[in-house]
Amino acid sequence: MFYRLKTDFRLSIITMLGASAILGITPFAIMRFLRGNFVAGVVDTGILFGIVGALAYAWITGDTRRSGLFLAVLCCSGAVFVGAVVGEPGLFWLYPCLVTSFFLTSPKIATFINIASVVALLVHGMAFNSDLQMWSFAATAFVVSACAYVFAYRNDDQRRRLEHLATIDPLTGVKNRRSMDEELKLALYSADRNRTSYGLALLDIDHFKRINDTYGHGVGDQVLSELVAMIEQNTRKTDQLFRYGGEEFVLLLPGVDSTGLRAVVHNLQQVLRKYMHCPGGPVTVSFGVASLRPGESVDAWLARADAALYRAKEAGRDRVVFADQERGELGAAAGA
């Protein structure tokens, strides 16, 4: 639970809002019912249940975009309604809503929601004691929204940059091992819930150390970048490539059965064998391939692919070896 809160910014905001709603709105709802102000009490109760429902939806489905938008609209419209019913004391509820909306949804949508909320109160007009108070409220609401917009925009930009640095390999531009761990966990979840089949190929550039030692790391880096470009050109957009470490890469292929997996990997091997070159000549790649088994863990899945890759290296490199393939078939794999 705490891991999701640390890694999903919008979910943490929704959770914080839900907790704040329970602690902050509940006493006012009870107080208004006790004082006989049933309309405002019902509104407060409706807002409270809406926030709690959206919070539960976000945690269960992981869809923070829809739940965030719903919460932004609910809170701002509820604050407007409370302000219109209660009058001046209810106006203060709109200020935190104006700020929070920028963290629950996109800046453009939040700006529209905030403007609509303020305009609605201005058009109603009954919540204000004078024109001076009304326009003072409008001015302060605008300043609050503008400051929240700037802060949210800069925060979102910095967060995207940090996420990019944390999940992308700077040399090749593909996702790194940290991102791979998350995607493989999601693959297991999807396979269990939706019965989606998955294949995994562990790739290792043959004699890569020799390339680095002979021609320098600059040439080695070019070989890595060329490998990534060729794989991306010859795989689907739904397939995901990760740099596992050094010259090793992991290719995750969703929605492929064993027959399709074999065809994809063998075709990829032929393409790399034909077009991958360095100053010393052709560059070859060894493959260890494994289909996900029902109920299998990520570690076990990777271990089977790694064992297959080891067998490919042991048999002479430039081979595709499948995790369930017998050792007697390795000779055929070399020419496949």
Side-chain angles (χ1 to χ4, degrees):
M1 182 180 75
F2 293 107
Y3 178 78
R4 288 185 66 185
L5 289 175
K6 288 191 293 184
T7 56
D8 193 328
F9 176 75
R10 188 169 289 174
L11 180 62
S12 65
I13 292 294
I14 292 173
T15 303
M16 183 181 68
L17 179 62
S20 300
I22 295 173
L23 296 175
I25 300 178
T26 302
F28 283 92
I30 295 173
M31 180 185 68
R32 283 168 179 150
F33 279 121
L34 293 176
R35 291 184 175 182
N37 193 347
F38 292 102
V39 175
V42 169
V43 172
D44 285 343
T45 304
I47 294 173
L48 179 62
F49 278 104
I51 291 174
V52 173
L55 174 61
Y57 174 82
W59 273 96
I60 294 172
T61 66
D63 185 0
T64 57
R65 185 179 64 85
R66 288 189 178 88
S67 54
L69 176 60
F70 173 78
L71 282 175
V73 173
L74 175 67
C75 293
C76 286
S77 59
V80 169
F81 196 85
V82 169
V85 173
V86 178
E88 183 179 356
L91 296 176
F92 296 102
W93 283 105
L94 187 59
Y95 287 109
C97 297
L98 296 177
V99 174
T100 309
S101 62
F102 283 102
F103 297 94
L104 294 173
T105 187
S106 66
K108 290 183 179 179
I109 296 177
T111 300
F112 174 79
I113 293 172
N114 286 12
I115 292 175
S117 301
V118 175
V119 169
L121 277 173
L122 295 179
V123 171
H124 182 265
M126 300 301 293
F128 306 100
N129 296 325
S130 64
D131 290 343
L132 178 61
Q133 184 190 41
M134 181 174 68
W135 292 113
S136 297
F137 170 80
T140 53
F142 171 78
V143 171
V144 167
S145 296
C147 292
Y149 175 88
V150 172
F151 181 80
Y153 179 83
R154 290 182 61 85
N155 182 75
D156 189 54
D157 180 62
Q158 292 175 353
R159 181 167 50 85
R160 283 199 301 266
R161 291 184 183 184
L162 289 173
E163 287 177 352
H164 185 272
L165 291 173
T167 59
I168 301 298
D169 175 57
L171 173 63
T172 61
V174 298
K175 295 179 179 180
N176 59 18
R177 184 166 182 173
R178 176 181 177 181
S179 180
M180 181 197 75
D181 292 338
E182 293 301 314
E183 293 296 337
L184 292 183
K185 291 177 183 178
L186 291 174
L188 261 64
Y189 177 77
S190 177
D192 181 60
R193 184 173 181 178
N194 305 319
R195 305 302 180 188
T196 304
S197 56
Y198 281 89
L200 182 147
L202 189 56
L203 298 73
D204 186 278
I205 301 175
D206 298 326
H207 304 295
F208 185 73
K209 185 177 184 300
R210 184 186 304 171
I211 295 174
N212 274 335
D213 293 343
T214 305
Y215 304 105
H217 289 277
V219 172
D221 291 347
Q222 291 178 6
V223 170
L224 292 173
S225 299
E226 185 179 354
L227 172 69
V228 168
M230 288 189 180
I231 292 176
E232 290 181 338
Q233 290 171 8
N234 291 274
T235 51
R236 304 166 301 174
K237 291 184 178 180
T238 53
D239 300 332
Q240 297 189 70
L241 182 65
F242 310 91
R243 189 175 182 186
Y244 192 48
E247 69 274 21
E248 287 188 335
F249 293 83
V250 168
L251 180 62
L252 178 63
L253 302 104
V256 292
D257 56 17
S258 58
T259 302
L261 182 60
R262 288 175 180 270
V264 170
V265 176
H266 282 307
N267 175 71
L268 190 58
Q269 181 200 29
Q270 295 297 325
V271 170
L272 297 178
R273 181 186 286 168
K274 183 176 181 180
Y275 295 107
M276 284 278 293
H277 293 87
C278 74
V283 176
T284 59
V285 177
S286 297
F287 293 78
V289 187
S291 295
L292 178 63
R293 292 173 175 173
E296 189 173 31
S297 68
V298 169
D299 290 339
W301 191 16
L302 278 171
R304 289 195 301 115
D306 188 58
L309 177 62
Y310 177 80
R311 288 161 54 194
K313 293 283 189 180
E314 189 181 46
R317 296 181 171 83
D318 189 23
R319 281 162 167 75
V320 176
V321 175
F322 292 83
D324 298 324
Q325 185 174 312
E326 296 296 330
R327 287 183 175 269
E329 298 177 3
L330 291 176

